[in-house]
Amino acid sequence: MADLLLIDIGTLAGITTPGKLKLAGKEMASLGQINHAYLYIKNGLIDSFGSMETLPLDLQSNTSVEQINCQGRFVLPCYVDSHTHIVFARTREEEFEMRIKGKSYEEIAEAGGGILNSARRTHEMSEEELFQQALGRLNEVISYGTGAIEIKSGYGLSVEDELKMLRVIQRIKEVSPIPVKATFLGAHAFPLAYTQNRKGYIQIIIDEMLPKISALSLADYMDVFCDQGFFTPEETTQLLLAAKGFGLKPKIHGNELGYSGGVQTAVQNNALSVDHLEYTGEQEIACLLNSDTMPVALPGCSFFLGIPYAPLRKMIDAGLPVCLASDYNPGSTPNGRMGFVVSLACTQMKLTPEEALNAATLNGAYALELSHQLGSIEIGKLGNVMITKPMENLAQIPYFFGSDRTYKTIVRGEVFKEINC
Ligand code: NIG
Ligand code: FE
């Protein structure tokens, strides 16, 4: 928790009206900005900001407050990455090569690869090694500008290994300088031994996993992969109702592989978010319009798997809020750079840079129930901001695709330095 004064900011962007928790439809097009600005973070929280002409003289001359002269660089709120799987054991290049040669993600999964492949490797890896690897990924994404993150389990698929993953996430929470939310994703796939006994695995989740996770307070949310070849809408609803009994709010992986009913199931269960949405039509849009469920797109997954992109342009034009997240995982998206996600949203989904940045910041915070605290420049919010490399305008963030414009990430008023433990 530090004090920090940023002066000579070229443009301070991402300023919202106090109390605004998400942006929808046309609202997404504007990103509040002040040119030639200052930003003062006190005790880790945004205390004041404005144009340089309004910077109080006593603050500028206060030698006990660390100052950074931004020399005309941009300052924006950090990205909020509301969907990741950064606790995983080993990468899956062999499947990547199988897909290059023509196999689909589903075919690989049906043959025991995919999520089940990661589950076998998670079982074999020690908790300490899983932790160290996840910590490395956390360090990496914070340095690219991520200022809050969600992490899912879901590569355990047994009582013992789901708990192991959630304990690793808990340890990450304890050492992370940025807020972390933990999501239980035991319903990510059916383990091989239960493919003919789906009810049996669902009962293990409900009767064994959920009570233990709840007793140890290891999760904030419950997620289910409600999609073709994975969990049905009925199974998803059964699981989410049980989770609610343990105080876990729902999130859903849905409509990645087909019109699976994932969106309707999410809305019926008042899910906080429904994520993926590559298969979203008029019915799904109409359903989301009557809800508080945040639609979350994961364009890195579409890019890597070569599947359709979620129709975010249509969704915004229909008046919906939309959110962008990385989905960083070893199978469908081995990349956690939110700058690249923003770029894909512009080039592939036709969002403007302002819409994409709002989707990756304030609306990401909403999907984690953190938008009162993060996701925009507002007095009282956490001082988690990024200073960019020299840029001419905001559009250069998505324009230089794959090449982050982040120069320094500030976390609670301190320049981020790698966490080691
Ligand atoms: O969000 N689609 C489901 N789960 C992950 C991928 C998991 C994996 O392939 O390891 C996703 O893309
Ligand atoms: Fe995912």
Coordinates of all heavy atoms in Angstrom, one line a residue, residues 245-277:
G245 N -26.3 -23.8 -2.9 CA -26.5 -24.2 -1.5 C -25.3 -24.0 -0.6 O -25.4 -23.9 0.6
F246 N -24.1 -24.0 -1.3 CA -22.9 -23.8 -0.6 C -22.3 -22.4 -0.7 O -21.2 -22.1 -0.4 CB -21.8 -24.8 -1.1 CG -22.1 -26.3 -0.6 CD1 -22.7 -27.1 -1.5 CD2 -21.8 -26.7 0.6 CE1 -23.0 -28.4 -1.1 CE2 -22.0 -28.0 1.0 CZ -22.6 -28.9 0.2
G247 N -23.2 -21.5 -1.2 CA -22.8 -20.1 -1.3 C -22.0 -19.8 -2.5 O -21.4 -18.7 -2.6
L248 N -21.9 -20.7 -3.5 CA -21.0 -20.4 -4.7 C -21.9 -19.9 -5.8 O -22.8 -20.6 -6.3 CB -20.2 -21.6 -5.1 CG -19.3 -22.2 -4.1 CD1 -18.5 -23.4 -4.7 CD2 -18.3 -21.2 -3.6
K249 N -21.6 -18.7 -6.3 CA -22.4 -18.2 -7.4 C -21.9 -18.8 -8.7 O -20.8 -19.2 -8.9 CB -22.2 -16.6 -7.5 CG -22.9 -15.9 -6.5 CD -22.9 -14.4 -6.8 CE -23.4 -13.6 -5.6 NZ -23.1 -12.2 -5.7
P250 N -22.9 -18.9 -9.7 CA -22.5 -19.6 -10.9 C -21.8 -18.7 -12.0 O -22.1 -17.5 -12.1 CB -23.8 -20.1 -11.5 CG -24.9 -19.5 -10.7 CD -24.3 -18.7 -9.6
K251 N -20.9 -19.4 -12.7 CA -20.4 -18.9 -14.0 C -20.5 -20.1 -14.9 O -20.5 -21.2 -14.5 CB -18.9 -18.6 -13.8 CG -18.6 -17.3 -13.1 CD -17.1 -17.0 -13.0 CE -16.8 -15.5 -12.8 NZ -17.0 -14.7 -14.0
I252 N -20.5 -19.8 -16.2 CA -20.7 -21.0 -17.2 C -19.7 -20.8 -18.3 O -19.5 -19.7 -18.8 CB -22.1 -21.1 -17.7 CG1 -23.0 -21.7 -16.5 CG2 -22.2 -21.9 -18.9 CD1 -24.4 -22.0 -17.0
H253 N -19.1 -22.0 -18.7 CA -18.5 -22.1 -20.0 C -19.6 -22.6 -21.0 O -20.1 -23.7 -20.8 CB -17.4 -23.2 -20.0 CG -16.1 -22.9 -19.6 ND1 -15.7 -22.6 -18.3 CD2 -14.9 -22.7 -20.3 CE1 -14.4 -22.3 -18.2 NE2 -13.9 -22.4 -19.4
G254 N -19.9 -21.8 -22.0 CA -21.0 -22.2 -22.8 C -21.0 -21.8 -24.2 O -20.3 -20.8 -24.5
N255 N -21.6 -22.5 -25.1 CA -21.7 -22.2 -26.5 C -20.4 -22.0 -27.3 O -20.3 -21.2 -28.2 CB -22.6 -20.9 -26.7 CG -24.1 -21.2 -26.2 OD1 -24.3 -21.7 -25.1 ND2 -25.0 -20.8 -27.0
E256 N -19.4 -22.8 -26.8 CA -18.1 -22.7 -27.5 C -18.2 -23.7 -28.7 O -17.6 -23.4 -29.8 CB -17.0 -23.2 -26.6 CG -15.6 -23.3 -27.3 CD -14.5 -24.0 -26.4 OE1 -14.8 -24.3 -25.2 OE2 -13.4 -24.1 -26.9
L257 N -18.8 -24.8 -28.5 CA -18.8 -25.9 -29.5 C -20.1 -26.0 -30.3 O -20.2 -26.8 -31.3 CB -18.4 -27.2 -28.9 CG -17.1 -27.1 -28.0 CD1 -16.9 -28.4 -27.2 CD2 -15.9 -26.9 -28.9
G258 N -21.1 -25.3 -29.9 CA -22.4 -25.4 -30.6 C -23.5 -24.6 -29.8 O -23.2 -24.0 -28.7
Y259 N -24.7 -24.6 -30.3 CA -25.8 -23.9 -29.7 C -26.3 -24.8 -28.5 O -27.2 -25.6 -28.7 CB -26.9 -23.6 -30.7 CG -26.5 -22.5 -31.7 CD1 -26.0 -22.9 -32.9 CD2 -26.6 -21.2 -31.4 CE1 -25.6 -21.9 -33.8 CE2 -26.2 -20.2 -32.3 CZ -25.7 -20.6 -33.5 OH -25.3 -19.7 -34.4
S260 N -25.6 -24.8 -27.5 CA -25.7 -25.9 -26.4 C -26.7 -25.6 -25.4 O -27.0 -26.4 -24.5 CB -24.3 -26.0 -25.7 OG -24.0 -24.8 -25.1
G261 N -27.4 -24.4 -25.4 CA -28.3 -24.0 -24.4 C -27.5 -23.5 -23.2 O -28.1 -23.2 -22.1
G262 N -26.2 -23.3 -23.3 CA -25.4 -22.7 -22.2 C -25.9 -21.3 -21.8 O -25.9 -21.0 -20.6
V263 N -26.2 -20.5 -22.8 CA -26.6 -19.1 -22.5 C -27.9 -19.1 -21.7 O -28.0 -18.5 -20.7 CB -26.7 -18.3 -23.8 CG1 -27.4 -17.0 -23.5 CG2 -25.3 -18.1 -24.4
Q264 N -28.9 -19.9 -22.2 CA -30.2 -20.0 -21.5 C -30.0 -20.5 -20.1 O -30.6 -20.0 -19.2 CB -31.2 -20.9 -22.3 CG -31.7 -20.2 -23.6 CD -30.7 -20.3 -24.8 OE1 -29.5 -20.8 -24.6 NE2 -31.1 -19.9 -26.0
T265 N -29.2 -21.5 -20.0 CA -29.0 -22.1 -18.6 C -28.3 -21.1 -17.7 O -28.7 -21.0 -16.5 CB -28.1 -23.4 -18.8 OG1 -28.6 -24.2 -19.8 CG2 -28.0 -24.1 -17.5
A266 N -27.4 -20.3 -18.2 CA -26.7 -19.3 -17.4 C -27.7 -18.3 -16.9 O -27.8 -17.9 -15.7 CB -25.6 -18.6 -18.2
V267 N -28.6 -17.8 -17.8 CA -29.5 -16.8 -17.5 C -30.6 -17.3 -16.5 O -30.9 -16.7 -15.5 CB -30.2 -16.2 -18.7 CG1 -31.4 -15.3 -18.4 CG2 -29.1 -15.4 -19.6
Q268 N -31.1 -18.5 -16.8 CA -32.0 -19.1 -15.8 C -31.5 -19.3 -14.4 O -32.2 -19.1 -13.4 CB -32.5 -20.5 -16.3 CG -33.5 -20.5 -17.4 CD -33.5 -21.7 -18.3 OE1 -32.9 -22.7 -17.9 NE2 -34.0 -21.6 -19.5
N269 N -30.2 -19.5 -14.3 CA -29.5 -19.7 -13.0 C -28.9 -18.4 -12.5 O -28.2 -18.4 -11.5 CB -28.5 -20.8 -13.1 CG -29.1 -22.2 -13.2 OD1 -29.7 -22.7 -12.2 ND2 -29.2 -22.7 -14.4
N270 N -29.2 -17.3 -13.2 CA -28.7 -16.0 -12.7 C -27.2 -16.0 -12.6 O -26.6 -15.5 -11.6 CB -29.4 -15.6 -11.4 CG -29.4 -14.1 -11.2 OD1 -29.1 -13.4 -12.1 ND2 -29.6 -13.7 -10.0
A271 N -26.5 -16.6 -13.6 CA -25.0 -16.7 -13.5 C -24.4 -15.3 -13.6 O -25.0 -14.4 -14.2 CB -24.5 -17.6 -14.6
L272 N -23.3 -15.2 -13.0 CA -22.6 -13.9 -13.0 C -22.1 -13.6 -14.4 O -22.1 -12.5 -14.9 CB -21.4 -14.1 -12.1 CG -20.7 -12.9 -11.5 CD1 -21.8 -11.9 -10.9 CD2 -19.8 -13.3 -10.4
S273 N -21.6 -14.7 -15.1 CA -21.2 -14.5 -16.5 C -21.4 -15.8 -17.2 O -21.5 -16.9 -16.6 CB -19.7 -14.2 -16.5 OG -18.9 -15.3 -16.1
V274 N -21.5 -15.7 -18.6 CA -21.4 -16.9 -19.4 C -20.3 -16.6 -20.4 O -20.3 -15.6 -21.1 CB -22.8 -17.2 -20.1 CG1 -23.4 -16.0 -20.9 CG2 -22.7 -18.4 -20.9
D275 N -19.4 -17.5 -20.5 CA -18.1 -17.3 -21.2 C -17.9 -18.2 -22.4 O -18.3 -19.4 -22.4 CB -17.0 -17.5 -20.2 CG -17.1 -16.7 -18.9 OD1 -18.2 -16.3 -18.6 OD2 -16.1 -16.4 -18.3
H276 N -17.3 -17.7 -23.4 CA -17.0 -18.3 -24.8 C -17.9 -17.7 -25.8 O -17.5 -16.8 -26.5 CB -17.1 -19.8 -24.8 CG -15.8 -20.5 -24.4 ND1 -14.7 -20.4 -25.3 CD2 -15.4 -21.2 -23.4 CE1 -13.7 -21.1 -24.7 NE2 -14.1 -21.5 -23.5
L277 N -19.2 -18.2 -26.0 CA -20.2 -17.6 -26.8 C -19.9 -17.6 -28.3 O -20.4 -16.7 -29.1 CB -20.5 -16.2 -26.3 CG -20.9 -16.0 -24.9 CD1 -20.9 -14.6 -24.5 CD2 -22.2 -16.7 -24.6

